[in-house]
Amino acid sequence: MATETSLEVGQMHVHILDDGMFVTDAGNLFGGSRKASIKGAMHPILVEAGDDLVLIDAGFGPELPEMLEGRYELRREENLLDHMDEAGFAAGDVTRVILSHLDPDHVGWALNPPSFPNATVYVQQAALEEARQMPQKDGRRAAVPAVERGVEEGWCELLEGDGEVLPGIKVEVRPGHSAGHQIVWIGESDDAALYTGDLAPAKIWLDPNLIAGVDTDPEAARKNRIEVLSEAEERGAPVILYHEPQDSLVKVRSEGDSFKADSFGS
Ligand SMILES: [Zn+2]
């Protein structure tokens, strides 16, 4: 994946980056054992917004977390920092990092270890609280010590609900996949793009009725998927799909009780 996808939203420049691919048994995502493997990309987003450089989600980090060894395989020739470098940015240029939630495939470079020395990292309080309640070996639970340290040291800020991180960059809490899961609207009204995080991370998830074993509240996920994707369609906002291996930038349209993806620009 050598070519970088980017788009203009208002005065902002949005880069869709890459932190490699993971391969896992489908049972890890849908429950049960399906004896089939599933591939997912990781596409952190970098937004040039005036003097700020905002990273949205942060891949697996330097290597696959130990707790996932054997269940997940990480494939990559270049990682997020390599891709940032190719796009002309260094880790020290990042001023803000928004984490949709605390799963290890979203927080890596931001927390383990923190790779952006000049950035404030934004986490929803509710996501942290849920992570504290997870079983000891859970991936979300593993993020808790780093977030708590970040709050103590002043580089991590806990959010309580919706808000504007910067003019034109709004987080909106849309739980289901996790408590306190936040999506990001980049831009205003009909000149906007949507980052869905794990609410709808790939084309198959555009079907609101897909029930995933990885959603802590499947009913909330379903309702929020419908509301958010409907709004994206109404506003004509392209949708950035974090885990989609190909065509991670799409336009969605409703069809029956589901949504379909068209390539952006077509
Ligand atoms: Zn994910």
Side-chain angles (χ1 to χ4, degrees), residues 9-254:
V9 180
Q11 303 294 312
M12 292 179 281
H13 197 80
V14 180
H15 305 261
I16 302 175
L17 300 179
D18 199 325
D19 195 35
M21 299 264 277
F22 68 78
V23 183
T24 188
D25 188 274
N28 286 330
L29 298 184
F30 298 102
S33 177
R34 303 242 177 147
K35 297 272 174 263
S37 63
I38 271 204
K39 271 189 204 169
M42 282 159 288
H43 292 297
I45 312 307
L46 199 59
V47 185
E48 291 177 69
D51 292 337
D52 275 279
L53 189 62
V54 184
L55 180 71
I56 306 176
D57 278 349
F60 261 127
E63 50 200 43
L64 187 73
E66 217 172 291
M67 82 188 81
L68 296 178
E69 274 172 24
R71 291 196 294 141
Y72 280 74
E73 184 198 327
L74 180 57
R75 292 183 189 167
R76 64 183 172 201
E77 282 163 23
E78 294 185 294
N79 64 36
L80 174 62
L81 297 191
D82 299 325
H83 287 285
M84 275 179 59
D85 184 56
E86 280 160 25
F89 303 102
D93 299 337
V94 177
T95 58
R96 296 159 201 259
V97 180
I98 299 170
L99 299 180
S100 62
H101 64 298
L102 294 176
D103 277 343
D105 53 325
H106 294 255
V107 305
W109 294 98
L111 299 181
N112 301 308
S115 309
F116 308 106
N118 301 314
T120 302
V121 177
Y122 297 91
V123 172
Q124 284 288 336
Q125 174 85 44
L128 176 62
E129 268 155 31
E130 183 197 60
R132 285 184 179 129
Q133 307 304 318
M134 298 301 265
Q136 199 62 252
K137 285 204 163 151
D138 187 89
R140 279 177 202 168
R141 176 77 175 264
V144 171
V147 172
E148 287 176 341
R149 185 161 44 89
V151 171
E152 220 175 271
E153 294 175 357
W155 51 266
C156 185
E157 194 174 309
L158 296 176
L159 303 175
E160 290 182 46
D162 301 353
E164 202 169 45
V165 166
L166 280 174
I169 300 186
K170 293 188 194 100
V171 298
E172 189 176 298
V173 175
R174 290 290 187 169
H177 178 69
S178 78
H181 178 285
Q182 53 188 350
I183 61 167
V184 186
W185 289 99
I186 305 160
E188 308 282 350
S189 55
D190 64 350
D191 188 7
L194 170 66
Y195 175 75
T196 47
D198 271 359
L199 180 64
K203 287 179 190 170
I204 54 165
W205 303 97
L206 297 177
D207 179 357
N209 297 310
L210 185 71
I211 302 293
V214 290
D215 290 340
T216 34
D217 184 345
E219 192 41 49
R222 180 177 180 280
K223 173 187 149 285
N224 281 321
R225 226 174 264 155
I226 293 169
E227 287 180 8
V228 165
L229 295 174
S230 299
E231 185 176 343
E233 183 179 21
E234 270 163 42
R235 291 169 64 173
V239 179
I240 302 162
L241 302 171
Y242 185 73
H243 287 310
E244 181 63 43
Q246 261 107 38
D247 288 338
S248 53
L249 181 64
V250 299
K251 279 220 169 179
V252 296
R253 90 191 120 79
S254 54

